[in-house]
């Protein structure tokens, strides 16, 4: 057991993926923690903070569609091993990439204030189009999200959607190459803003045209469940409104997804009326071809994080009873078939 002096002078290592965006997000969290101990008044016993970055399986596999290669653990598993082995102390994630069920011994310690969670349209450089409605029929829109494709196919059956992988700089380069296939990309607004690419946003795509991903725009900090010091620090940089909204969204997804990448879209808000907090959550599940969509809205007073999470779970149960279960069952069948086809293709290629 550490002495009082040792516990208050601890060095906390913040870790994340090595991408440019992940490093920017980690440094946002780092700055928030450092602000708790301003240089002009900090003492030798105050905690200090450092960073560590690593490449994950999701970063290494840039060729296959996310829909086929696994769930969100692709982005977090290696980091969580380092956390559990005490090599690092806090993991800074895009919360939308964090599985809704964490490994034993790990907890979500904090959630920072959210950037705008909407998705945005980015048009090829030099083209005049201002919105999805302006794109000519047959235009190719790039996105690696089955959620975006499923929802947008409902409204824009004349557009084509093509998977595009890589970090934001890579995807933007693929968009802008003159003879490339893409007329536009659909990307998370928060990532563009954090990377200083906000000027490339052509227009935002708002609900009900496109419901955003669960926890999109929020940064989550994962810690060891038994690390009381880290938890105390995380709670000090947590934004309550963002936390409650994201817990509701994650509660909804956890009941729906079964651990896989599924076309679940959400929108949420928290407002205070006469001293009471009211949380509104809209959840939707959409068939991959856009032919069906199930949607439900729930607004209730909440007074704790547990109540916020429970509201999200209720939305999911209502969606399942309203037809979402059948949609998700069809998606799982489709995924299994496509994975099998991809394995056969890989085997054929390797034997040539």
């Amino acid at each position: 057991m550490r002495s009082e002096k040792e516990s208050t002078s601890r060095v906390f290592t913040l870790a994340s993926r090595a991408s440019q965006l992940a490093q920017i997000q980690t440094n946002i969290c780092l700055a928030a923690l450092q602000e708790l101990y301003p240089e002009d008044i900090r003492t030798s016993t105050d905690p200090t903070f450092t960073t560590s970055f690593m490449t994950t399986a999701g970063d290494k596999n840039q060729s296959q569609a996310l829909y086929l290669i696994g769930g969100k653990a692709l982005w977090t598993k290696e980091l969580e091993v380092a956390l559990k082995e005490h090599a690092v102390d806090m993991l800074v994630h895009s919360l939308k990439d964090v599985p809704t069920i964490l490994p034993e011994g790990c907890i979500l310690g904090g959630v920072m204030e959210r950037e705008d969670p909407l998705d945005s349209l980015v048009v090829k450089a030099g083209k005049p189009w201002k919105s999805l409605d302006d794109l000519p029929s047959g235009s190719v829109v790039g996105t690696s999200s089955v959620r975006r494709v499923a929802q947008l196919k409902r409204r824009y059956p004349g557009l084509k959607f093509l998977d595009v992988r890589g970090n934001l700089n890579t995807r933007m380069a693929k968009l802008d190459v003159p003879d490339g296939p893409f007329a536009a990309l659909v990307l998370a607004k928060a990532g563009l803003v954090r990377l200083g690419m906000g000027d490339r946003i052509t227009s935002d795509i708002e609900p009900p045209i496109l419901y955003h991903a669960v926890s999109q725009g929020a940064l989550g900090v994962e810690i060891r469940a038994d690390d009381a010091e880290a938890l105390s620090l995380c709670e000090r940089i947590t934004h309550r409104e963002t936390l409650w909204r994201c817990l509701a969204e994650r509660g909804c997804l956890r009941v729906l997804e079964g651990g896989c990448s599924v076309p679940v879209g959400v929108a949420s808000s928290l407002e205070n009326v006469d001293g009471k907090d009211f949380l509104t959550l809209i959840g939707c599940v959409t068939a991959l071809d856009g032919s069906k969509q199930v949607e439900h809205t729930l607004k209730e007073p909440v007074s704790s994080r547990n109540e916020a999470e429970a509201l999200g779970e209720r939305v999911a149960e209502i969606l399942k009873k309203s037809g979402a279960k059948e949609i998700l069952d069809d998606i799982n069948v489709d995924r299994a078939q496509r994975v099998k086809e991809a394995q056969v293709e890989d085997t054929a290629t390797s034997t040539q």
Side-chain angles (χ1 to χ4, degrees):
M1 191 169 179
R2 289 198 300 260
S3 69
E4 178 69 19
K5 182 175 180 181
E6 287 173 321
S7 86
T8 54
S9 59
R10 181 173 157 192
V11 177
F12 289 85
T13 300
L14 283 65
S16 77
R17 295 163 55 200
S19 72
Q20 182 185 5
L21 179 57
Q23 293 192 43
I24 288 171
Q25 292 174 165
T26 301
N27 287 327
I28 290 171
C29 184
L30 175 70
L33 289 166
Q34 289 174 331
E35 285 175 11
L36 300 176
Y37 303 94
E39 280 294 331
D40 56 341
I41 59 172
R42 67 173 292 111
T43 69
S44 60
T45 58
D46 287 334
T48 56
F49 308 93
T50 187
T51 57
S52 175
F53 304 104
M54 63 185 72
T55 302
T56 68
D59 297 305
K60 294 170 186 173
N61 189 333
Q62 295 290 334
S63 58
Q64 290 179 283
L66 293 175
Y67 175 63
L68 301 180
I69 60 176
K72 298 178 179 182
L74 285 167
W75 310 115
T76 60
K77 188 173 181 180
E78 289 95 338
L79 291 163
E80 286 166 342
V81 169
L83 179 67
K84 295 175 81 170
E85 292 179 348
H86 291 247
V88 300
D89 303 290
M90 299 178 178
L91 305 180
V92 182
H93 303 294
S94 288
L95 191 53
K96 73 181 179 70
D97 294 332
V98 178
T100 55
I101 298 177
L102 297 179
E104 185 177 354
C106 299
I107 61 171
L108 184 62
V111 177
M112 301 188 66
E113 185 170 5
R114 193 176 206 167
E115 279 280 358
D116 192 331
L118 293 181
D119 290 306
S120 295
L121 179 73
V122 178
V123 165
K124 186 190 287 286
K127 295 297 183 180
W129 311 306
K130 300 299 182 186
S131 69
L132 284 165
D133 295 296
D134 294 340
L135 296 180
S137 182
S139 293
V140 176
V141 177
T143 176
S144 57
S145 163
V146 294
R147 169 189 56 85
R148 293 173 182 144
V149 173
Q151 291 187 58
L152 292 176
K153 276 184 176 178
R154 289 179 62 77
R155 188 68 67 103
Y156 301 100
L159 298 180
K160 297 179 180 178
F161 298 90
L162 185 64
D163 193 71
V164 57
R165 294 288 309 280
N167 61 38
L168 270 177
N169 289 320
T170 299
R171 282 180 277 175
M172 296 293 271
K174 290 178 179 178
L175 168 67
D176 288 337
V177 63
D179 58 350
F182 300 106
L185 303 179
V186 178
L187 301 164
K189 183 175 184 177
L192 290 162
V193 170
R194 287 177 178 142
L195 276 170
M197 298 182 182
D199 60 318
R200 284 301 307 268
I201 294 174
T202 304
S203 60
D204 293 333
I205 313 173
E206 300 182 353
I209 295 174
L210 182 57
Y211 289 98
H212 60 74
V214 164
S215 300
Q216 187 158 292
L219 301 182
V221 186
E222 185 178 357
I223 60 173
R224 291 181 294 276
D226 61 358
D227 193 340
E229 297 168 74
L231 178 59
S232 177
L233 289 167
C234 288
E235 287 174 341
R236 293 173 68 186
I237 63 170
T238 287
H239 185 251
R240 185 178 67 94
E241 177 184 334
T242 300
L243 174 67
W244 287 14
R245 289 172 60 191
C246 288
L247 285 174
E249 295 172 13
R250 284 170 61 80
C252 180
L253 182 60
R254 183 172 56 253
V255 172
L256 289 171
E257 70 172 340
C260 295
S261 175
V262 292
V264 175
V266 294
S268 64
S269 62
L270 185 70
E271 57 181 335
N272 189 279
V273 180
D274 297 328
K276 268 190 175 180
D277 288 315
F278 285 84
L279 179 60
T280 301
L281 177 65
I282 305 171
C284 74
V285 179
T286 314
L288 292 178
D289 62 1
S291 61
K292 294 183 287 186
Q293 180 166 294
V294 180
E295 182 182 320
H296 188 75
T297 304
L298 205 56
K299 179 177 181 179
E300 293 180 358
V302 293
S303 58
S304 70
R305 53 186 295 166
N306 288 341
E307 290 182 359
E309 197 165 14
L311 183 149
E313 292 169 353
R314 285 194 293 278
V315 170
E317 293 294 352
I318 294 168
L319 288 171
K320 288 170 73 172
K321 292 175 183 175
S322 304
K325 185 179 185 304
E326 290 76 11
I327 293 174
L328 296 174
D329 287 345
D330 289 344
I331 287 170
N332 287 330
V333 170
D334 174 83
R335 181 186 289 107
Q337 179 61 33
R338 290 172 61 182
V339 167
K340 185 177 180 180
E341 291 171 356
Q343 290 170 340
V344 170
E345 185 176 325
D346 288 344
T347 301
T349 301
S350 64
T351 57
Q352 287 177 356

